[in-house]
Amino acid sequence: MTTVLLLLLLAFGAYLVAVLENWTTCGRFRLAAPVLAGIALLGRESILTRKPDRIFFEVAPVLLLLSAVLAAAVVPLTPNLIITDLATGALFINAALVYVLVALLMAGWGPDGAYAMVGGWRFLGQLIAYSMLIVMPITAVAMRAESLFTTQIVISQAQLWNVLYQPLGFVLFFIAAMALAFLPPFDLPTAKGELAGGVEAEYTGVRLAVFRLGRLALIITLAAATVIFYLGGWQGPWLPPWAWSAIKILAVTATMLLAGRMMPRIREAHLLAWCWKLGIPLALLNIFLVGVLVLVFP
Amino acid sequence: MTAQMFFIGFFGLAAVWFGVVVFRTFSMVRSALALLFSQTALGALFLTMQAEFLGVLQIMMMATEMSIMAIFMVMFMMDPGGLGEMEMTHQKRLSLGTGIVSFLAAVAVAVFVDWGPVANAAPGAAQQTVDLGLELLGRSMLIFETAGITILTAMIAATAVSINKPLDSGIRRNDGKGKASKRPANDEH
């Protein structure tokens, strides 16, 4: 029952992300646009490239959707509204999200097209820069909560939210989450302007619909993860827990989408250099600072 | 219990099957990803045996590792796409022999070693994580953790130092005076 409810919520979240993302481009029927676009995609012919790697081509969109859904399975929206509260929850989110990389690699390699392949390899380069930045702030979060249970992590922020306790970690995690969801300005793998859609380029019809749905689910899952790790999850005054979860997740999603719009796309080499020279050392510093704080003020 | 047995068998066979696929394809990338899914099936096997931490860790680590392996294989091997039907097996006789011997050794260890009494129930997942940490590191925990962080910092520092500042045009080269010189990309002739 909870599972069905949460999956419906995830689908609704994906719909909201699609509405927000195309707010300025859809004209009058903004609220209906994603649904109509989805129906149009489902009705369209699925075109295969000339010599595709069939298995990779077919599996990639499903794997992308699956990893987003699996990561969402350990995200609590209220103290009880969670599919499964694993003892390794924080680690499990990571484990599920790493397969986004595999999915995009497959999507890039599968169709046997130049644009798609460049997109796939670009995402790999991007993630070589950012996967450590996803994990290291979560380590600091788990250090404070002294647990990997996601619910425990939320409860540990009852007095002070992690965004104030470890602001550095929050900024790094937020940026890394945007890079993982390949949102602009980190949309190197799908770059519409230069790669004609990149990994999406050869996908059409149902496969493209699943791929896009997977990406939207990924964005909302990452926003939810940011909320439970740094913004106190369901906690807040006056309103019921579910309302706080919803408000925070939507706010984070909107910030992610808006922040991307304001920046130009970053080049791969810059991305790698900045991340390894600045981002990862700062993440180590964050772990050190949180370690000292945890020891000094237990 | 029967469901658990079924899934143990299922993931075990899946791991073996993907292991076979590694040598049956003619493409580097397919081979690397088949290896990845073989390892993922092993992780799932841990999960079905209620070793949660080990399972999740295995599943998490392998995905990045195998993806990076794929990019390196494509970079360094001829014919990465497998269009020329590249053979994935090497030194067949030696590897067959090694494979059979190590399989027999593993079976012998599994059958003949005295594993002690059979555990009826696994400890809770959180308790397992604690137990595992103590079992692996014992009272040297602090030393190991410090060493781990130090090695990690050294690795990151080495990588960061070796990245040249990206330039907008041309290739940056080291002219031996500790100062990189900026030259146009096509100054070879």
Side-chain angles (χ1 to χ4, degrees), chain A residues 77-298:
Chain A
L77 295 182
T78 71
N80 299 316
L81 196 59
I82 178 173
I83 292 178
T84 167
D85 196 11
L86 290 177
T88 47
L91 208 60
F92 184 84
I93 290 184
N94 262 313
L97 289 179
V98 165
Y99 283 78
V100 172
L101 169 61
V102 181
L104 256 73
L105 211 56
M106 287 166 117
W109 185 268
D112 189 28
Y115 287 141
M117 197 160 86
V118 173
W121 289 134
R122 271 184 177 187
F123 191 66
L124 183 54
Q126 185 164 319
L127 257 259
I128 285 176
Y130 278 97
S131 61
M132 277 176 87
L133 267 192
I134 288 260
V135 183
M136 285 156 93
I138 295 183
T139 312
V141 168
M143 273 162 67
R144 188 190 174 199
E146 293 182 9
S147 171
L148 290 172
F149 282 103
T150 42
T151 44
Q152 197 60 44
I153 285 174
V154 174
I155 291 168
S156 77
Q157 302 171 54
Q159 304 299 324
L160 185 67
W161 291 359
N162 270 337
V163 67
L164 298 173
Y165 192 86
Q166 32 187 315
L168 185 59
F170 170 72
V171 173
L172 292 172
F173 183 82
F174 189 81
I175 297 172
M178 282 176 73
L180 181 62
F182 46 107
L183 280 163
F186 305 105
D187 59 341
L188 282 164
T190 50
K192 285 260 155 48
E194 35 182 301
L195 282 188
V199 285
E200 282 185 8
E202 311 292 348
Y203 280 101
T204 42
V206 185
R207 299 192 187 97
L208 182 60
V210 176
F211 189 92
R212 293 226 168 119
L213 182 65
R215 180 165 167 274
L216 295 173
L218 179 65
I219 294 171
I220 198 84
T221 302
L222 278 164
T226 313
V227 167
I228 59 159
F229 287 146
Y230 288 98
L231 296 172
W234 62 76
Q235 300 176 88
W238 309 307
L239 294 175
W242 61 267
W244 273 116
S245 283
I247 291 170
K248 286 175 186 173
I249 291 173
L250 280 181
V252 169
T253 314
T255 316
M256 276 182 173
L257 294 175
L258 203 65
R261 291 284 167 91
M262 295 178 178
M263 278 174 269
R265 195 172 295 136
I266 300 171
R267 222 177 67 193
E268 189 82 38
H270 285 125
L271 204 65
L272 280 164
W274 274 105
C275 191
W276 280 90
K277 283 180 177 173
L278 193 69
I280 295 176
L282 281 179
L284 275 175
L285 181 71
N286 177 50
I287 290 183
F288 177 74
L289 289 178
V290 174
V292 170
L293 275 178
V294 167
L295 285 179
V296 175
F297 308 106

Side-chain angles (χ1 to χ4, degrees), chain B residues 139-158:
Chain B
R139 58 192 189 87
S140 317
M141 182 87 80
L142 186 64
I143 300 167
F144 273 109
E145 300 243 311
T146 318
I149 286 285
T150 313
I151 292 169
L152 181 65
T153 316
M155 273 159 50
I156 291 166

